[in-house]
Amino acid sequence: MSELRTRLAEVDDLIASAARRFQRDPAEITRIVVTKFHPPQLISDLAAIGVHDVGENRQQELSHKRVELADLTDMTWHFIGQAQSNKARQIREAADVVHSVDREKIAIALDAAAGETDPILDVLLQVNLTADAGRGGVEPGDIEGLAARIAALPTLRLRGVMAVAPLDEDPAPAFERLAGYSQLLRSVVPDASWISAGMSHDFAEAIAHGATHLRIGSAITGTRPARG
Ligand SMILES: *Cc1c(COP(=O)(O)O)cnc(C)c1O
């Protein structure tokens, strides 16, 4: 617990200093702690030291933890993994924000899965920053079309873009492209200003290029257990 607290404080210091360096207001940057593969207890421990945002990348694991930790009322749950449309209901039940909407089919499924009393679901459009069209994320040329279709769905609110930096490229130019895609998205949905980018090894570059939501795992949680 004390190590967790130390690593969290260290990362938050680095976030604050990167924000100062790039003339960003730290208050407009949300630090999401990615807890995938860790037991639910880690999320309780994080809550006890003031964490309000956690991220999970597998629906079953997210659903399980959210049920188990139903007493954590001051936690926002971010789904950052590949979304399957046949799991839309479960995703909607467990997530407050879905970062990984990258095709119309999943957007329609998430909208259709809304119950009568469900709140509006915040979603981000995941963009593929790699040259490999097989990777997750919409191709940049399709951003405006998909954004317009998502914006028309009554129970979703499109908040911005999300991306993972390519493994084989310096993250800075990739995040610079992402900032351009964010502009493009805002030409369709003007208030969709969130940029979800930056992980343990590249969050400073992401902050330099306008990230509003950082998804940081191992730098805070320590080494992840093997995939469960
Ligand atoms: C696991 C994961 C992260 C966090 O990765 P770290 O390198 O541990 O910080 C961020 N985003 C996504 C989509 C992930 O799957």
Side-chain angles (χ1 to χ4, degrees):
M1 187 83 178
S2 77
E3 269 180 49
L4 187 63
R5 192 191 291 273
T6 304
R7 283 192 302 260
L8 181 69
E10 282 168 358
V11 167
D12 283 349
D13 283 347
L14 293 170
I15 293 170
S17 65
R20 275 195 301 277
R21 195 157 70 242
F22 301 111
Q23 274 117 52
R24 301 279 316 280
D25 177 0
E28 69 184 26
I29 298 172
T30 301
R31 174 255 298 123
I32 300 163
V33 183
V34 177
T35 48
K36 64 188 183 199
F37 312 164
H38 287 281
Q41 181 62 44
L42 177 73
I43 299 179
S44 304
D45 292 347
L46 287 165
I49 56 175
V51 168
H52 299 294
D53 292 271
V54 291
E56 288 285 336
N57 79 333
R58 293 193 300 180
Q59 173 270 317
Q60 271 192 307
E61 190 176 341
L62 167 69
S63 297
H64 169 75
K65 289 178 181 174
R66 180 121 199 201
V67 168
E68 185 132 326
L69 301 170
D71 57 324
L72 296 183
T73 48
D74 200 10
M75 188 62 81
T76 298
W77 296 78
H78 299 257
F79 183 62
I80 61 174
Q82 208 192 339
Q84 284 175 310
S85 42
N86 64 346
K87 297 292 183 206
R89 181 68 210 145
Q90 289 92 327
I91 293 170
R92 218 177 153 129
E93 271 168 0
D96 302 300
V97 185
V98 177
H99 290 233
S100 42
V101 173
D102 62 357
R103 55 200 191 282
E104 187 175 19
K105 190 175 173 199
I106 182 67
I108 288 174
L110 285 170
D111 180 57
E116 288 266 305
T117 58
D118 280 357
I120 298 288
L121 181 67
D122 284 330
V123 301
L124 291 100
L125 203 157
Q126 184 178 351
V127 182
N128 182 7
L129 296 179
T130 75
D132 175 0
R135 296 292 294 271
V138 65
E139 291 304 309
D142 296 332
I143 290 171
E144 289 160 286
L146 181 56
R149 291 193 292 278
I150 297 172
L153 297 170
T155 73
L156 304 186
R157 180 171 178 199
L158 183 55
R159 304 304 304 253
V161 289
M162 177 273 209
V164 178
L167 288 172
D168 55 355
E169 185 191 346
D170 178 13
F175 290 146
E176 194 176 340
R177 294 199 298 282
L178 183 62
Y181 303 145
S182 169
Q183 293 283 352
L184 192 61
L185 179 68
R186 279 181 278 172
S187 72
V188 182
V189 181
D191 66 351
S193 58
W194 294 5
I195 301 178
S196 167
M199 310 185 2
S200 289
H201 299 292
D202 57 19
F203 64 83
E205 290 88 345
I207 291 169
H209 292 95
T212 62
H213 292 68
L214 314 173
R215 307 179 311 267
I216 304 179
S218 47
I220 295 170
T221 65
T223 311
R224 261 191 292 281
R227 196 177 265 269

